[in-house]
Amino acid sequence: MVDVNSLSSSVPTIGRLAVIGLGLIGGSFAKGIRQAGVCAEVVGCDPDPMARRLALPLGVVDRVTDNLAEAVRDADVILLAVPVLAMEKVLAELATLSLGQAVLTDVGSTKGAVVKAVEQAFGQIPPLFVPGHPIAGSEKSGVEAARAELFRRHKVILTPLENTSEQALELVTRLWHCLGADVEAMPLADHDEVLAATSHLPHLLAFSLVDTLAARSENLEIFRYAAGGFRDFTRIAASDPVMWRDVFLANRDAVLRSLDDFTRDLSRLREAVEGRDANTLLGVFTRAKAAREHFSTILARRAYMEPMQTQAINFIAQPGGRVNGSIRVPGDKSISHRSIMLGSLAEGVTEVEGFLEGEDSLATLQAFRDMGVVIEGPHHGRVTINGVGLQGLQAPPGPLYLGNSGTSMRLLAGLLAGQEFDTVLTGDASLSKRPMGRVAKPLREMGAQIETAADGRPPLRITGGSKLMGMDYQMPVASAQVKSCLLLAGLYAGGSTSVTEPAPTRDHTERMLKGFGYPIKVEGAKATIEAGHKLTACKIDVPADISSAAFFMVAASIAEGSDLTLEHVGINPTRVGVINILKAMGGDIELSNEREVGGEPVADIRIRSAKLKGIDIPIDQVPLAIDEFPVLFVAAACAQGRTVLRGAEELRVKESDRIQVMADGLQALGVRAEPTADGIIIDGGPIGGGKVDSHGDHRIAMSFSVASLRATGDIQISDCANVATSFPGFIELARSVGIQVSLEASA
Ligand code: S3P
């Protein structure tokens, strides 16, 4: 067999490739391999004289024949590219020939049927057989449609079997790579099931719709009135009929399963149209729109090349500059999450304005859509939630994926512990490392059934139908997420549920419950709630997030000559630690236009540059500035003297270990920063340029962008994709006021 290591894109290293079937796929493969120059001779075989006649002048093959034995003689690789049902006949003939050490592979779109045919023909599966399927095509068919670049940036799925030779697999993989394809291995059964749903079913629907419409109008006049929607939906109905007939016969069972699901859902839609059930229609359409938009994002990121990976995004921040202007940062993340949760559980329609369209709050929104809540938007920060009432959530179709968002997972855990149905909560790599025992433990004490992975990490498996009992809980850590989780569980628990916090934490849940008309008693550090009341829909105006504003407060403070106004910022007293700390450091911060919107205080904040000085950060400010420390450390690095933070061990279990990651980053820029168990000691001084790793933590990435204002060289910040979780549009907004940060997407 061919030495795979000698394969390169320019040197011919396989002697002969035989392509059986010179249609669109076989022809494109042959043409691409020929052009890549990795093969001494490409032989084509096709029974159709026209295909044979065209193949040579079109540059698809070097030689063409209608004789299978002649085509495969001395071939190193044989590619079967005939319709799935014709495969049987070809294979039967191949089995009678001596194939030597030739690697056999195919492009059939249903792998089960092809593998069965191979087994029948050869009496067993030859180890040199590699089943494959390129996910590429066109509504055009025939050798005349063959394109050497058809597979570039497309996925090719190989479904190797237990006895498949590794070398054969490697060779086939490398041939596809020569064509620019992205090769992925998958178990055979999974392949057939997935393709039935995502490819075969849509083709069936397109064929069927066009046929139904064509039958209505004698001379196809009806299509004169069809526009883009029809064209987009039915493009694939012009695909090769024989090939598709074979696909449906070969993948019958998997297709039937998908078709049954679809038929069921279509009947529901029919009933909804008939019964003028606007809510059901809107529910299906909003969910589908969100899913389709997600798919578009995947396509845009070329996830066909990189399936489940987030594209690496790095920032580059150039040194110097000052910050001027008047801006409004995006909506408050904590309030946005809660608006979806309480709006969904309310009776009536809740209108939200200023909603944060970041990935975290969108994860919460999607979770509620998955549980049957009809939510319109977001569109320019407007969201309309058609509340289902406290008992109206439905079992989601699968695990709820919460991305990077700890708030979503912890708050939902409480709310879902009180439902009748089971749920599984999962998240990304960072969230999967974060402690969930802090909510699972007290929830279990209330009677909830929750399983976590080792060490109390996600995923969380919540068994529904448990009878929750209220309790009086003294929180060991000052955490608004734990407090909120238990209060939400309390909506479903017998008796009363009280939570006492060791230090004040953000009280958005308590305020918003009141806003929805739900009684909650707050006495000092203790909040108490009882089940049995209802939430009434209301209007919510989400203020700008003080945690996002914090980056600009520090930016304007440290960059000489700055004067910046931040509009409509939430200044809830449980969130204003950053203002208090900056003022204590000598910051020039002025609040104006103070007012209350929907139960939350807001103000415009003007910040002018100031000479900051190092301080001992008062411990009572820690929970009030818990998310703002990364950027406050940057302020400390620019201050004169030493800043000491204590009592902030919680920072070690945020989206990253924020003490260590900030200390590493600051040190990389030449700042003296010494991490301690529960805080950090920073000596102000010059900031150099350099490389820092944000460890996928949005706030770290933005903090170092701000540091550039006082740096002496470029700061390269890696792994910044998660800035989109809390601050979509950060780069644009930062640049608009004078921070010279830009995006550098790397492969
Ligand atoms: C949040 C509470 C805080 C905060 C997080 C949002 C909330 O977490 O860090 O970003 O919305 O309740 P802890 O409760 O873990 O301190």
Side-chain angles (χ1 to χ4, degrees):
M1 203 174 68
V2 170
D3 172 11
V4 288
N5 297 317
S6 69
L7 266 183
S8 82
S9 56
S10 55
V11 196
T13 45
I14 57 170
R16 184 166 295 154
L17 164 70
V19 176
I20 317 303
L22 293 175
L24 170 74
I25 301 289
S28 298
F29 187 91
K31 197 170 183 178
I33 290 293
R34 253 192 106 226
Q35 284 186 11
V38 293
C39 176
E41 189 186 39
V42 178
V43 186
C45 179
D46 202 291
D48 174 11
M50 194 55 155
R52 291 201 303 277
R53 199 171 316 139
L54 289 170
L56 273 178
L58 288 172
V60 169
V61 291
D62 298 300
R63 184 156 59 86
V64 68
T65 170
D66 63 348
N67 182 311
L68 188 64
E70 192 187 319
V72 301
R73 188 170 307 132
D74 297 329
D76 294 303
V77 178
I78 302 168
L79 178 88
L80 293 177
V82 297
V84 177
L85 293 193
M87 212 71 102
E88 262 174 47
K89 206 170 134 259
V90 175
L91 284 165
E93 195 181 338
L94 270 184
T96 66
L97 304 171
S98 147
L99 302 179
Q101 284 300 293
V103 169
L104 183 63
T105 184
D106 78 304
V107 294
S109 43
T110 63
K111 301 319 315 161
V114 174
V115 169
K116 212 160 124 205
V118 169
E119 196 170 11
Q120 245 164 29
F122 289 86
Q124 41 128 29
I125 315 265
L128 295 181
F129 170 55
V130 182
H133 175 210
I135 316 281
S138 155
E139 66 282 13
K140 301 202 184 86
S141 42
V143 71
E144 56 275 35
R147 287 191 299 119
E149 59 287 347
L150 182 69
F151 307 108
R152 184 172 302 154
R153 295 197 176 140
H154 280 264
K155 200 179 279 306
V156 171
I157 301 175
L158 301 180
T159 58
L161 305 160
E162 250 174 38
N163 71 334
T164 305
S165 137
E166 283 206 5
Q167 266 181 302
L169 180 63
E170 175 76 16
L171 176 59
V172 173
T173 304
R174 296 193 63 175
L175 283 175
W176 282 113
H177 282 164
C178 289
L179 303 178
D182 167 43
V183 181
E184 209 177 288
M186 195 189 256
L188 187 144
D190 291 1
H191 169 277
D192 286 2
E193 205 67 40
V194 168
L195 268 290
T198 57
S199 167
H200 306 168
L201 180 64
H203 277 83
L204 196 77
L205 302 184
F207 282 127
S208 172
L209 178 68
V210 176
D211 187 46
T212 304
L213 296 190
R216 270 206 198 173
S217 118
E218 253 165 44
N219 48 9
L220 306 184
E221 268 295 284
I222 194 168
F223 296 126
R224 284 183 47 214
Y225 306 101
F230 176 80
R231 184 191 58 219
D232 293 345
F233 185 82
T234 59
R235 179 179 60 77
I236 49 180
S239 305
D240 182 353
V242 174
M243 184 190 112
W244 282 101
R245 174 202 64 191
D246 287 6
V247 166
F248 288 108
L249 297 179
N251 202 20
R252 174 175 170 269
D253 294 348
V255 167
L256 284 180
R257 279 190 288 276
S258 278
L259 190 56
D260 287 348
D261 287 349
F262 181 75
T263 314
R264 182 201 58 212
D265 291 350
L266 194 61
S267 320
R268 281 193 196 143
L269 272 181
R270 191 192 180 285
E271 275 165 31
V273 173
E274 189 175 34
R276 299 195 165 81
D277 176 354
N279 209 43
T280 298
L281 293 174
L282 201 59
V284 173
F285 299 165
T286 46
R287 280 197 304 276
K289 178 172 157 58
R292 183 60 175 81
E293 279 165 359
H294 177 65
F295 175 60
S296 307
T297 323
I298 292 180
L299 281 185
R301 281 188 196 159
R302 299 212 194 96
Y304 259 50
M305 299 293 291
E306 290 172 87
M308 301 306 285
Q309 298 161 19
T310 318
Q311 198 182 23
I313 298 217
N314 303 325
F315 288 179
I316 289 214
Q318 284 165 356
R322 57 200 165 101
V323 176
N324 285 295
S326 183
I327 53 171
R328 178 165 171 168
V329 299
D332 188 282
K333 183 149 75 75
S334 296
I335 299 177
S336 295
H337 282 300
R338 287 156 172 86
S339 70
I340 298 292
M341 295 181 189
L342 298 191
S344 295
L345 298 177
E347 290 172 24
V349 177
T350 292
E351 301 276 358
V352 185
E353 293 218 31
F355 180 79
L356 168 67
E357 298 185 33
E359 286 171 7
D360 276 13
S361 34
L362 290 174
T364 293
L365 188 152
Q366 186 58 37
F368 280 88
R369 275 197 179 133
D370 287 347
M371 292 189 283
V373 183
V374 177
I375 304 174
E376 294 159 62
H379 185 64
H380 298 320
R382 289 184 71 100
V383 179
T384 306
I385 309 163
N386 297 271
V388 295
L390 278 161
Q391 308 302 334
L393 294 180
Q394 292 162 20
L400 297 172
Y401 177 72
L402 303 169
N404 196 247
S405 177
T407 308
S408 309
M409 189 170 282
R410 296 205 178 110
L411 269 59
L412 273 175
L415 201 155
L416 294 173
Q419 305 301 320
E420 287 301 314
F421 51 84
D422 301 348
T423 34
V424 177
L425 306 183
T426 66
D428 70 4
S430 151
L431 183 55
S432 300
K433 286 189 215 134
R434 297 184 65 187
M436 293 297 146
R438 56 180 60 195
V439 289
K441 193 173 155 280
L443 285 172
R444 283 185 197 123
E445 285 171 33
M446 291 176 76
Q449 282 189 62
I450 301 191
E451 274 174 54
T452 64
D455 296 332
R457 313 283 153 181
L460 295 183
R461 288 172 197 283
I462 304 172
T463 307
S466 308
K467 283 266 155 294
L468 300 188
M469 271 315 293
M471 68 163 171
D472 193 342
Y473 189 64
Q474 309 282 327
M475 285 200 296
V477 279
S479 163
Q481 292 179 353
V482 177
K483 172 176 66 174
S484 304
C485 162
L486 299 179
L487 292 175
L488 291 175
L491 295 173
Y492 295 93
S496 67
T497 303
S498 298
V499 194
T500 306
E501 52 190 6
T505 66
R506 65 192 70 191
D507 62 357
H508 306 301
T509 306
E510 298 91 304
R511 285 175 187 254
M512 204 182 279
L513 280 164
K514 283 184 196 151
F516 276 90
Y518 202 99
I520 170 162
K521 201 160 73 192
V522 181
E523 298 158 311
K526 183 172 180 172
T528 305
I529 200 165
E530 276 178 15
H533 303 275
K534 65 173 187 160
L535 294 156
T536 306
C538 62
K539 279 199 184 321
I540 297 176
D541 181 348
V542 182
D545 197 329
I546 189 166
S547 297
S548 298
F551 300 106
F552 293 95
M553 290 185 205
V554 171
S557 300
I558 63 173
E560 217 182 311
S562 299
D563 184 350
L564 183 75
T565 300
L566 298 162
E567 299 156 14
H568 204 74
V569 182
I571 50 158
N572 181 313
T574 59
R575 297 285 297 280
V576 291
V578 62
I579 299 179
N580 300 339
I581 293 169
L582 275 177
K583 279 189 172 166
M585 294 174 82
D588 180 353
I589 302 179
E590 216 179 276
L591 270 56
S592 64
N593 201 9
E594 287 187 45
R595 57 214 180 268
E596 196 168 292
V597 291
E600 291 280 350
V602 298
D604 297 336
I605 305 179
R606 182 173 179 191
I607 310 104
R608 277 170 284 195
S609 39
K611 293 246 171 298
L612 299 182
K613 58 179 196 306
I615 57 163
D616 273 8
I617 296 175
I619 229 154
D620 63 355
Q621 294 299 311
V622 170
L624 311 187
I626 192 70
D627 292 334
E628 287 66 77
F629 283 109
V631 79
L632 283 169
F633 295 169
V634 171
C638 297
Q640 204 171 37
R642 172 170 283 196
T643 296
V644 181
L645 172 69
R646 291 188 199 85
E649 52 279 270
E650 271 297 297
L651 292 181
R652 292 201 179 269
V653 290
K654 293 293 178 188
E655 285 84 327
S656 69
D657 175 345
R658 286 183 174 159
I659 292 176
Q660 193 60 48
V661 173
M662 280 305 295
D664 291 346
L666 287 170
Q667 285 166 12
L669 302 179
V671 177
R672 285 185 53 188
E674 189 196 318
T676 61
D678 66 344
I680 196 164
I681 302 167
I682 298 172
D683 289 315
I687 301 181
K691 286 188 181 176
V692 297
D693 185 348
S694 79
H695 285 262
D697 185 328
H698 52 137
R699 301 204 194 278
I700 307 272
M702 291 186 274
S703 299
F704 282 110
S705 307
V706 168
S708 67
L709 289 162
R710 285 279 289 270
T712 51
D714 281 0
I715 303 183
Q716 280 174 273
I717 312 158
S718 62
D719 203 1
C720 304
N722 281 336
V723 166
T725 60
S726 69
F727 204 142
F730 168 73
I731 291 225
E732 293 74 12
L733 201 62
R735 289 174 69 87
S736 77
V737 293
I739 303 175
Q740 302 172 69
V741 58
S742 54
L743 193 71
E744 179 206 80
S746 70

